[in-house]
Amino acid sequence: MRIPGLILALSLAPVTAQAQTAAAPEQAALHAVAAQVQPERMRADVTALVGFGTRHTMSETTSETRGIGAARRWTERQFRAIGADCGNCLEIALPADTVTGRRVPTPTEVVDVLAIQKGTGDPNRVIIISGHIDSRVTDVMNATADAPGANDDASGVAAVLEAARVLSKSKFEATLVYAVLSGEEQGLLGGKILADYAKTQGWVVEANLNNDIVGNSQGQSGVRDTTRVRVFSEGTKTVETPEQAATRRYNGGEADSSSRNLARFVDGIADRYLTNFDVEMIYRTDRFGRGGDQVEMLRAGFPAVRITEGAEHYHHQHQDLRTENGIVYGDTIEFMDFDYLGQVARLNIVSMAALASAPSVPTGVTIAGNVSPDTTVSWAAVPGAAGYRVWWRSTTAPQWTYSRWAGEAASLVLKNIPIDDWFFGVSAVSADGYESPIVFPGPAGAFVSEAPAPAPAT
């Protein structure tokens, strides 16, 4: 069916008169999944994880009550119970690697715990939510001291488990993967294992939402902010080739990688479906000088963002448990805000449901129109798409500003909108109004790697 309000007769006068900027219709199903989030259920998950004493990557693996092994097996049991509740809709995978390195001096098996909910229409297209289960204290090599890791990153694991509990009750076109990763603190080891596994499975990863430190609302300054979460995204692709970089430097695209437009998508979800909770987009791959498991997904060429609380408190990260000069140090559960964590979980869950319900992102997006007053935007047809929206914005604008409905066509001519003055993109829309992220033309913005574009004409 056609989407009401999107097909309009548009004047060809000034740009603002040509543009149809109405947002995608709100979806009752997305409001419904947001309503199912239970912060107290996540509190129970964090309490259980903290109860293992330490989850250091090189900690105990045979005990059932302490160490990384016990925590991983507990996580697997949670996934299996969730799968049993949805008619065995979850496939459990335990990809692993034996690792040695600067922070792993002796060979250590690093194991990820994945729950895979196969898509009903396009199962090779994959949306991943991730968080890491390992923890640490001040000395990253200390594998025996108590390291509760409540916020870093039992909070992220709790968000992953909550996403599985809520979303496993529904069916989606794309595959959803709930990923609990190990070895992050020892060098993003679990992220590398996940990226390698995705490649081995032949997954077309459209999005990785990596949740790392998402359960606290009071920063070290003492200010409490329950209304803001940060989403970090790379501007230019980690896997960009020299040829692609040369084209991008000439034609633009520094702020339009697939990860950056994924972040814009998540930002839009917060605006439409969450109450008093906003995404602050950060134009960095991660916090300054720091890293997370999404970095390994980016190195594999997959779109990925890091989701992190708006106000971090460094007394409660990577610290030995102690009190000095009246200051309490340590990543313990009493410093968490579970209502805030619930909001972060809702953002993830609604974003995943929206992505998995929409058609896949357009591929083969190109623009043409040099030495012309008009711009032609073209793309390859997407299976399951009822139509497409062409977007454009000023080259200095942070968000997409104008759009026009293109119907079922695979190209659109934007009359009197010169290619030199604007950035362009395309999204795919389903018959019931779910819309994909916007794709910037060429390799700079492609969600799936493309061949380098030819060098610009002189």
Side-chain angles (χ1 to χ4, degrees), residues 343-361:
Q343 288 285 65
V344 176
R346 290 183 187 97
L347 177 67
N348 279 270
I349 288 166
V350 176
S351 296
M352 293 178 72
L355 287 163
S357 299
S360 62
V361 292

Side-chain angles (χ1 to χ4, degrees), residues 31-385:
H31 285 292
V33 295
Q36 294 175 42
V37 171
Q38 296 181 27
E40 287 306 307
R41 192 160 56 189
M42 288 186 285
R43 182 192 296 271
D45 290 336
V46 173
T47 300
L49 289 165
V50 167
F52 293 111
T54 178
R55 304 186 307 277
H56 191 281
T57 300
M58 295 182 289
S59 65
E60 174 67 60
T61 60
T62 58
S63 170
E64 287 304 317
T65 58
R66 184 177 178 86
I68 187 72
R72 289 193 306 246
R73 289 187 291 275
W74 176 87
T75 301
E76 182 182 352
R77 290 194 296 272
Q78 303 311 302
F79 279 144
R80 292 195 183 280
I82 294 166
D85 286 344
C86 62
N88 297 317
C89 73
L90 298 181
E91 171 191 331
I92 308 302
L94 303 172
D97 192 16
T98 298
V99 177
T100 56
R102 183 172 62 88
R103 290 188 174 186
V104 189
T106 59
T108 300
E109 186 180 38
V110 179
V111 184
D112 290 345
V113 185
L114 311 182
I116 303 165
Q117 182 178 341
K118 288 289 183 67
T120 58
D122 189 4
N124 204 43
R125 181 165 65 96
V126 175
I127 314 299
I128 303 173
I129 181 174
S130 58
H132 73 85
I133 197 171
D134 58 298
S135 62
R136 61 167 287 188
V137 289
T138 304
D139 179 1
V140 72
M141 305 303 291
N142 186 340
T144 59
D146 281 352
N151 195 25
D152 184 14
D153 184 36
S155 66
V157 173
V160 172
L161 290 169
E162 189 69 1
R165 291 189 182 105
V166 171
L167 295 176
S168 62
K169 298 175 184 177
S170 303
K171 295 185 183 300
F172 298 95
E173 287 289 305
T175 290
L176 301 181
V177 174
Y178 312 99
V180 175
L181 310 179
S182 300
E184 192 267 356
E185 304 289 7
Q186 305 310 115
L188 313 183
L189 306 177
K192 177 67 161 57
I193 290 169
L194 174 62
D196 289 346
Y197 185 78
K199 285 187 171 182
T200 299
Q201 298 301 304
W203 289 347
V204 179
V205 178
E206 189 171 285
N208 170 216
L209 308 179
N210 186 45
N211 289 257
D212 197 347
I213 310 179
V214 291
N216 163 62
S217 60
Q218 182 170 316
Q220 195 158 327
S221 65
V223 174
R224 183 176 297 278
D225 185 354
T226 61
T227 65
R228 184 176 65 102
V229 69
R230 294 175 293 167
V231 176
F232 292 80
S233 60
E234 68 176 7
T236 59
K237 291 184 178 181
T238 301
V239 295
E240 184 179 61
T241 68
E243 295 81 7
Q244 291 166 348
T247 300
R248 188 254 311 150
R249 283 194 296 268
Y250 203 89
N251 291 332
E254 290 80 2
D256 277 285
S257 69
S258 50
S259 299
R260 183 61 50 77
N261 279 311
L262 172 61
R264 290 186 176 106
F265 181 94
V266 174
D267 188 9
I269 289 294
D271 291 341
R272 292 195 297 278
Y273 292 97
L274 274 68
T275 301
N276 199 28
F277 198 68
D278 187 51
V279 163
E280 183 171 344
M281 288 181 58
I282 307 294
Y283 281 21
R284 284 195 173 105
T285 299
D286 209 309
R287 298 150 306 154
F288 196 83
R290 304 177 71 182
D293 283 313
Q294 82 285 353
V295 171
E296 289 295 340
M297 298 297 282
L298 296 171
R299 287 173 178 161
F302 299 132
V305 298
R306 179 189 176 118
I307 300 174
T308 294
E309 62 201 22
E312 294 184 73
H313 200 310
Y314 306 111
H315 292 164
H316 309 309
Q317 295 178 20
H318 300 181
Q319 295 285 351
D320 292 338
L321 301 178
R322 67 194 192 280
T323 300
E324 292 181 356
N325 300 318
I327 298 173
V328 179
Y329 294 87
D331 187 0
T332 53
I333 195 167
E334 63 263 32
F335 298 110
M336 292 182 61
D337 180 340
F338 286 95
D339 288 333
Y340 178 86
L341 179 57
Q343 288 285 65
V344 176
R346 290 183 187 97
L347 177 67
N348 279 270
I349 288 166
V350 176
S351 296
M352 293 178 72
L355 287 163
S357 299
S360 62
V361 292
T363 59
V365 179
T366 62
I367 53 174
N370 55 313
V371 296
S372 168
D374 310 326
T375 299
T376 300
V377 185
S378 303
W379 56 91
V382 174

